[in-house]
Amino acid sequence: MVDAYSNLSDVRVGNFPWCLKVRVIRLWVVKSNLISGQENSIELVLLDEKGCKIHATVRRHLIPLFKAVIIEGEVYTLSAFSVVDAYGLCRPTRHPCRLFFHSTTILEKMVCRAIKMNGLSLVDIGQINSHSCDSNYLVDFMGVMTGISSQNEFLKDGQRVKMIVVEISDHRGFCHVVLFGEIVDYLVQMMTTLDGGLPVVVIQFAKIRFFRGRVLLQNIQNLTRMLFNPPVDESVLLGRRLSKMRGGPAMTVPLIGPPVKPSVVDDFLRLYPKKTIAELKSTSDDGPFIVSGVVDGLVIGEDWWYPSCRCSKRLIINAGYYYCRGCSKHVFEFVPRFRVKIHVTDGIDDAMFVLSDDDVRYLTRTKCSIQLSSSKQVLEGINPPSALMKIEGLKLLFKIVMVSSLNPIYKGAFKVSRVCLDPDIFNAFSLKGTRHTPAKVYRPVMSEVVYPSGLIEEINQHGEYLSNKRLAGSFDNTLGEEIADHHKRSRDC
């Protein structure tokens, strides 16, 4: 039994006989992007009695040895490990070092109530909004949920991923948090349990991103933790300050952002008029139209990819370097994205369509970066990659967006905003009587928004939305009242 344990704050690089007493406050598994089902490592965040945290890693070959032994939330004594300098773009702690387990690492479970369960290191939203670039360090913060967007989806590696944006506010301001993946299901589930009022939310291990001149936060898959009205001192105090605001039935979380994206069935069968290619060429109307056709082949001699900034804007050459107009700066790293021109025919007429990166990835199940690095011949743009040839011969539905002033890259072609290759939808589209022209632009009714049961009804019934100005004023007022009550109780005593 060790009588004295080292503090995490004293741990540094070198061959020292460290012996630690720590709690595993977070555990997640990093999986391979190349080999399906393969686990690359087990990552841990460890906390000691002094409140110091450190990042630890179990490499792939040691996973069978430690996976069944390490349990999140438990306390262990830890010795015989190596220490290296911390690195990475998503560091869960600010400790300058990182631990690595070995086959000889000694791990023994014990009981210690002196080590806290969560190890929160809260920063306020004012500190978060002061960033002018991405941060490598993940942050913990707390606030009131003052807005929530419709649930949406995006394509990642050919798979549809759920996404929601929430607005979190405190006395220093507000910020938007982009949540995607499994945490969205947890958020929706928790929203159904709320009894009314604005919930106090703690988000732990969130990534700070600087996107198009504004600060956003996003979750890290399997790592970021979200807590609703947690029983921590800071949350109880914040809830007490907002008790008057959160107590009324009219105070519900308002909807923010654009409406939910229509389903594939709505997009291609119910919402927009269908046209032949000949009608599409002759129309002078703006708006979305649905066209069916067969891909006759790729347009020869056209670029099939383009360099883009991390903000998704197309890069241009300026003074010999790539320049992003969205970020207003030169960039030295780019993200390759698909932009493929194709010939489409409906048996009577034909036209050129332009497919976006999302559509090409959906049809080919591959990334542009992978195809770009596949061979020197592809890199030089001599021939398009063989993966793009999979598009040829496909029978598809296209959602075409017509605008009066086209971007020069679409001159002589039509911009595709969405594609569908579902045979059932295609057959339904071809049936007689499905031709229609909606009288107005599609706007989803509340029942179409994927939301927790009861939340929409409360918003419709009361219709009272909370502005950030009102929220900040309420923080100041309730804080002042609380301080006055405290002084009054002190005088009475």
Side-chain angles (χ1 to χ4, degrees):
M1 184 71 179
V2 177
D3 295 327
Y5 296 95
S6 303
N7 295 325
L8 284 178
S9 58
D10 297 329
V11 172
R12 59 186 185 275
V13 177
N15 296 321
F16 299 97
W18 306 110
C19 186
L20 309 175
K21 181 170 63 173
V22 292
R23 186 187 298 276
V24 180
I25 63 171
R26 201 64 176 132
L27 181 152
W28 71 102
V29 176
V30 177
K31 296 186 177 181
S32 172
N33 291 327
L34 302 177
I35 304 176
S36 177
Q38 177 176 290
E39 297 177 343
N40 280 350
S41 66
I42 297 176
E43 306 295 330
L44 312 166
V45 178
L46 308 178
L47 175 73
D48 67 5
E49 292 185 26
K50 302 293 185 180
C52 187
K53 293 178 287 187
I54 197 168
H55 185 189
T57 298
V58 179
R59 292 187 178 96
R60 185 175 65 197
H61 65 283
L62 297 177
I63 290 179
L65 184 61
F66 289 100
K67 188 173 184 178
V69 177
I70 308 175
I71 302 173
E72 185 175 277
E74 297 294 339
V75 177
Y76 299 89
T77 60
L78 179 64
S79 59
F81 51 83
S82 62
V83 184
V84 302
D85 290 324
Y87 58 89
L89 299 178
C90 298
R91 302 184 195 177
T93 79
R94 288 190 172 270
H95 200 291
C97 300
R98 182 173 177 178
L99 310 184
F100 278 90
F101 282 49
H102 298 294
S103 59
T104 56
T105 296
I106 300 173
L107 193 70
E108 296 182 356
K109 187 177 177 181
M110 66 176 299
V111 176
C112 180
R113 293 187 175 88
I115 305 179
K116 295 182 178 180
M117 290 297 298
N118 293 318
L120 294 173
S121 302
L122 297 174
V123 299
D124 61 51
I125 292 176
Q127 293 173 284
I128 293 173
N129 287 334
S130 66
H131 283 75
S132 58
C133 60
D134 290 5
S135 174
N136 293 339
Y137 297 101
L138 307 184
V139 296
D140 307 341
F141 67 101
M142 179 181 65
V144 180
M145 185 185 295
T146 53
I148 185 169
S149 75
S150 304
Q151 182 173 306
N152 214 324
E153 293 182 347
F154 65 92
L155 284 174
K156 182 180 181 182
D157 300 332
Q159 302 294 322
R160 297 194 178 274
V161 181
K162 298 177 182 178
M163 182 182 72
I164 277 183
V165 179
V166 296
E167 181 183 270
I168 307 296
S169 304
D170 69 4
H171 65 290
R172 293 288 303 278
F174 72 96
C175 64
H176 286 167
V177 186
V178 182
L179 303 174
F180 59 90
E182 296 179 357
I183 200 170
V184 173
D185 295 328
Y186 170 76
L187 171 62
V188 172
Q189 179 186 359
M190 293 304 298
M191 294 297 288
T192 62
T193 65
L194 297 179
D195 296 328
L198 302 175
V200 175
V201 177
V202 172
I203 298 182
Q204 192 174 18
F205 307 120
K207 173 75 172 178
I208 298 176
R209 300 292 303 274
F210 193 74
F211 182 72
R212 294 185 183 177
R214 57 181 296 194
V215 176
L216 297 174
L217 291 118
Q218 75 172 52
N219 67 301
I220 304 298
Q221 282 281 45
N222 303 321
L223 170 57
T224 301
R225 175 188 284 147
M226 193 173 191
L227 305 173
F228 278 75
N229 297 321
V232 297
D233 295 340
E234 295 89 347
S235 175
V236 173
L237 180 60
L238 184 62
R240 194 179 303 156
R241 292 177 185 175
L242 297 176
S243 59
K244 293 183 180 180
M245 294 171 55
R246 298 174 60 232
M251 200 54 62
T252 54
V253 182
L255 293 172
I256 60 174
V260 66
K261 186 177 181 179
S263 67
V264 178
V265 174
D266 286 342
D267 236 356
F268 290 96
L269 296 181
R270 300 173 184 166
L271 302 178
Y272 307 111
K274 71 175 185 179
K275 291 185 178 292
T276 64
I277 292 179
E279 291 172 335
L280 191 68
K281 287 181 174 180
S282 61
T283 186
S284 59
D285 298 330
D286 286 353
F289 302 102
I290 308 301
V291 178
S292 66
V294 178
V295 180
D296 202 25
L298 274 62
V299 178
I300 305 301
E302 294 283 348
D303 293 333
W304 52 270
W305 72 278
Y306 67 95
S308 74
C309 181
R310 294 182 65 181
C311 71
S312 300
K313 291 287 187 180
R314 179 186 174 91
L315 297 176
I316 62 173
I317 299 295
N318 180 276
Y321 298 97
Y322 283 125
Y323 182 81
C324 176
R325 290 174 176 171
C327 299
S328 300
K329 64 179 182 180
H330 286 93
V331 296
F332 300 97
E333 293 182 0
F334 67 85
V335 179
R337 298 184 187 277
F338 287 116
R339 192 193 68 244
V340 180
K341 282 189 177 182
I342 57 174
H343 283 293
V344 178
T345 178
D346 60 4
I348 300 175
D349 206 341
D350 61 82
M352 283 192 300
F353 289 179
V354 181
L355 297 178
S356 67
D357 184 72
D358 284 344
D359 293 329
V360 178
R361 289 171 63 178
Y362 169 65
L363 295 173
T364 62
R365 297 293 192 270
T366 186
K367 292 182 179 180
C368 184
S369 57
I370 295 176
Q371 297 303 317
L372 194 62
S373 61
S374 59
S375 70
K376 182 179 178 182
Q377 199 176 38
V378 168
L379 188 62
E380 293 175 350
I382 299 174
N383 292 311
S386 58
L388 293 184
M389 299 305 175
K390 297 178 182 178
I391 302 175
E392 189 171 348
L394 289 180
K395 193 176 183 180
L396 302 171
L397 292 178
F398 301 90
K399 180 180 175 182
I400 303 296
V401 178
M402 298 285 291
V403 292
S404 300
S405 55
L406 283 175
N407 188 306
I409 64 173
Y410 298 111
K411 190 173 183 180
F414 296 97
K415 179 183 179 181
V416 179
S417 69
R418 199 173 187 179
V419 296
C420 175
L421 48 67
D422 189 316
D424 294 333
I425 296 179
F426 202 102
N427 292 335
F429 179 84
S430 303
L431 294 176
K432 291 183 179 181
T434 60
R435 185 187 186 90
H436 67 285
T437 302
K440 59 182 179 179
V441 177
Y442 168 72
R443 298 193 184 280
V445 296
M446 280 298 193
S447 59
E448 295 177 18
V449 180
V450 183
Y451 253 126
S453 175
L455 181 61
I456 299 305
E457 288 78 2
E458 289 186 12
I459 293 175
N460 283 335
Q461 180 181 355
H462 303 288
E464 185 175 342
Y465 289 173
L466 181 68
S467 69
N468 293 307
K469 185 176 180 181
R470 282 183 53 202
L471 178 67
S474 299
F475 266 100
D476 296 338
N477 293 337
T478 52
L479 179 58
E481 292 172 3
E482 186 174 300
I483 294 173
D485 291 341
H486 172 74
H487 289 310
K488 182 180 180 180
R489 288 193 301 270
S490 299
R491 289 194 302 269
D492 293 341
C493 295

